[in-house]
Amino acid sequence: IVLTGGDDHLWKTWGFPDGNILLTGEGHTDWLSGCCFRPSGTQLVTSSGDTTVRLWDLSRSGCILTLRGHSRAVRGCTWHSCGDFVASASADCTSKIWDVNSERCRYTLRGHKDSVNSIEFLPFSSTVVTSSADKTLSLWDVR
């Protein structure tokens, strides 16, 4: 299965190698900048120009949680390997670590001087790496 998001405000899962659309999710009101599967494979997370991060249940193709807190477009998102946390990077110069169990922002990472364009958890770690339009990379310990 391949997961994509695009300018049409939709995410889609595709069967591989045939290329058939398996599921489509709608709910964002602007372009999708990122999407990725939860490590368990039962849910996914998407980020959008509409300033939100959304969690989706694949069995229902429906949004189960909308995370709000960024003031500008969200440029990317990713899951922690444990599946309990989502990280987001935004054009508002911040990144956020979201606790999906409590449905709230656990940390806001401030320090970049321009848009944060990508974010990744290092595997099996509490360290996050961000990249920014300010031409820097930052490592964050989010314990």
Side-chain angles (χ1 to χ4, degrees), residues 5-21:
D7 288 342
D8 59 2
H9 311 182
L10 303 174
W11 59 263
K12 296 175 184 171
T13 59
W14 306 77
F16 185 78
D18 297 333
N20 301 329
I21 296 175

Side-chain angles (χ1 to χ4, degrees), residues 24-95:
T24 300
E26 58 183 67
H28 282 291
T29 59
D30 208 338
W31 47 271
L32 269 68
S33 55
C35 49
C36 81
F37 289 106
R38 189 173 193 163
S40 66
T42 59
Q43 296 175 341
L44 58 94
V45 64
T46 57
S47 55
S48 172
D50 67 11
T51 74
T52 67
V53 175
R54 291 180 183 245
L55 273 63
W56 306 83
D57 184 309
L58 292 174
S59 66
R60 294 182 291 189
S61 300
C63 179
I64 57 172
L65 178 61
T66 300
L67 301 169
R68 291 179 174 86
H70 286 293
S71 60
R72 294 185 61 200
V74 183
R75 309 286 299 173
C77 58
T78 189
W79 286 96
H80 185 273
S81 55
C82 73
D84 293 331
F85 300 97
V86 165
S88 59
S90 174
D92 67 8
C93 306
T94 70
S95 297

Side-chain angles (χ1 to χ4, degrees), residues 91-112:
D92 67 8
C93 306
T94 70
S95 297
K96 293 185 180 288
I97 307 299
W98 305 91
D99 182 330
V100 297
N101 297 315
S102 67
E103 302 182 359
R104 66 178 185 86
C105 177
R106 175 76 62 94
Y107 304 108
T108 298
L109 309 175
R110 293 179 176 86
H112 285 294

